[in-house]
Structures are given as C-alpha cells and as structure tokens.
C-alpha cells in the first residue's frame, strides 16, 4: 500500500472519530445542562402520566421562571437525594396547605384540581411551606408517596432539576 493511500485512510478514520466524539460531547452537554430524562416507575401521577412512562424536562426553565402551582417537576427526593422524583407543585413558599376530606386548601381557599381522576380522601396538615420550598403531591393521591408522607416534607427550590414538558413514551403528550 502506498504512503499516500495510508495517509488518506488515516485522515478518513480521524475525520469519523472527530464526528463521533463531537456528537457524544454534544449529547452529554444537552443531557447535563438542557434536558432531563425521567422514568415514572409508579402510578403516583396517573392518569396524567401512567406508570412506566418516559418524561423529558427542561433543566433551564427555572433559571428564567419561578415554579408555579400545577407545574409537574423532576426533583431530588428530599429523604434520599440520590433518587429523582416527579410530582406536581401544590404549595408555594409561605403558603399554608391543608387537606380536609381529600380536598386541598391553600391559605383556606379550596384548590381546583381538574387533573385528578378520582376523589381523594384523608385529612393532612396544616403545612406551612417554608420560604424557598414547595409542597408536592401526586395526581393519584391514593398511591402517591409525596410531601404528606416524607420525613423532609418540602422540596427546596435548588433541588428542582427540571420542569416536565413532554411524555414521549408510551405515547406523546405535552405536559405544559
């Protein structure tokens, strides 16, 4: 094989290696800084998000916006931060959350929750949400292990990883 041909093959291989390495670096940067992926292992968010669903969230969203009641978020579980959870924000900083006969009251006013498929039950609280923290509930309250049951009741703002925006498996659904 001629020296010219060897150089040509090396250049071609190096060209492909650069493309592959660049693609890997870009994918890692997107995954680490822009997009968060999550798998929902339980039925705690049904019927909004079925068990086994795959979710994408925007990591940068709360760098430009404040978390709002009703947002579905991916966050570090307060009792074990090595685990990521997905729940809905119910209580905002400074608010009092109380659950009476399954109905949620924020500062004494009934919260409208059209995303619930079943009438929840039970009495919990009242909870006084600390500054820079949030009270989280699952949409399927009968099976959801959420702020009502955690040892560390609230999620601090800096532990929110991303706002969930799309369920892409088993079907495509925008989450807002």
């Amino acid at each position: 094989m001629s020296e010219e041909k060897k150089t040509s093959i090396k250049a071609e291989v190096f060209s492909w290696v650069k493309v592959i390495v660049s693609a890997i670096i870009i994918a890692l940067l997107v995954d680490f800084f822009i997009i968060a992926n999550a798998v929902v292992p339980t039925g705690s968010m049904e019927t909004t998000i079925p068990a086994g669903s795959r979710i994408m969230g925007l990591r940068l969203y709360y760098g430009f916006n404040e978390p709002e009641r009703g947002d579905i978020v991916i966050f570090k579980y307060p009792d074990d931060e090595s685990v990521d959870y997905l729940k809905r924000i119910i209580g905002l900083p400074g608010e009092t959350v109380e659950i009476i006969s399954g109905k949620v009251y924020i500062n004494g006013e009934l919260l409208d929750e059209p995303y619930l498929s079943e009438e929840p039950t039970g009495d919990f609280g009242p909870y006084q949400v600390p500054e820079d923290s949030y009270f989280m509930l699952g949409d399927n309250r009968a099976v959801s292990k959420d702020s009502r049951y955690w040892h560390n009741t609230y999620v601090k703002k800096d532990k929110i990883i991303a706002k969930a925006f799309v369920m892409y498996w088993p079907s495509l659904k925008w989450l807002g």
Side-chain angles (χ1 to χ4, degrees):
M1 188 180 275
S2 73
E3 190 62 36
E4 187 176 300
K5 184 106 172 154
K6 285 182 185 178
T7 304
S8 175
I9 291 172
K10 285 181 184 178
E12 183 70 20
V13 169
F14 184 69
S15 169
W16 279 102
V17 168
K18 285 192 321 191
V19 168
I20 292 168
V21 168
S22 296
I24 291 170
I25 289 170
I26 290 168
L28 290 172
L29 289 172
V30 167
D31 188 49
F32 191 73
F33 292 110
I34 299 172
I35 300 292
N37 281 293
V39 177
V40 181
T42 69
S44 69
M45 288 298 293
E46 289 181 348
T47 58
T48 307
I49 303 170
S53 297
R54 296 184 185 276
I55 305 296
M56 265 198 274
L58 288 174
R59 291 182 186 273
L60 299 175
Y61 188 83
Y62 294 120
F64 303 100
N65 302 282
E66 287 298 312
E68 296 180 8
R69 184 180 346 279
D71 287 356
I72 298 172
V73 296
I74 303 165
F75 57 92
K76 295 290 181 190
Y77 172 46
D79 291 344
D80 179 359
E81 291 187 3
S82 69
V83 178
D84 294 343
Y85 262 40
L86 181 121
K87 301 285 182 210
R88 188 180 296 274
I89 295 175
I90 299 296
L92 302 175
E95 293 182 334
T96 300
V97 178
E98 189 166 15
I99 302 169
I100 303 169
S101 298
K103 296 186 181 340
V104 175
Y105 293 84
I106 306 291
N107 299 329
E109 293 189 29
L110 180 63
L111 178 62
D112 180 32
E113 297 187 280
Y115 40 80
L116 297 179
S117 62
E118 294 184 17
E119 188 72 27
T121 60
D123 298 320
F124 301 90
Y127 303 95
Q128 183 63 45
V129 184
E131 289 304 315
D132 204 37
S133 297
Y134 299 87
F135 186 85
M136 308 289 192
L137 292 175
D139 289 357
N140 186 357
R141 309 272 160 82
V143 301
S144 182
K145 299 301 178 218
D146 46 42
S147 284
R148 299 171 294 169
Y149 301 106
W150 302 336
H151 176 72
N152 297 297
T153 307
Y154 309 101
V155 174
K156 295 201 174 291
K157 183 179 180 186
D158 65 353
K159 300 302 178 182
I160 296 176
I161 298 168
K163 178 180 181 183
F165 73 95
V166 67
M167 174 177 70
Y168 62 90
W169 177 264
S171 61
L172 185 63
K173 179 179 182 181
W174 293 105
L175 300 173

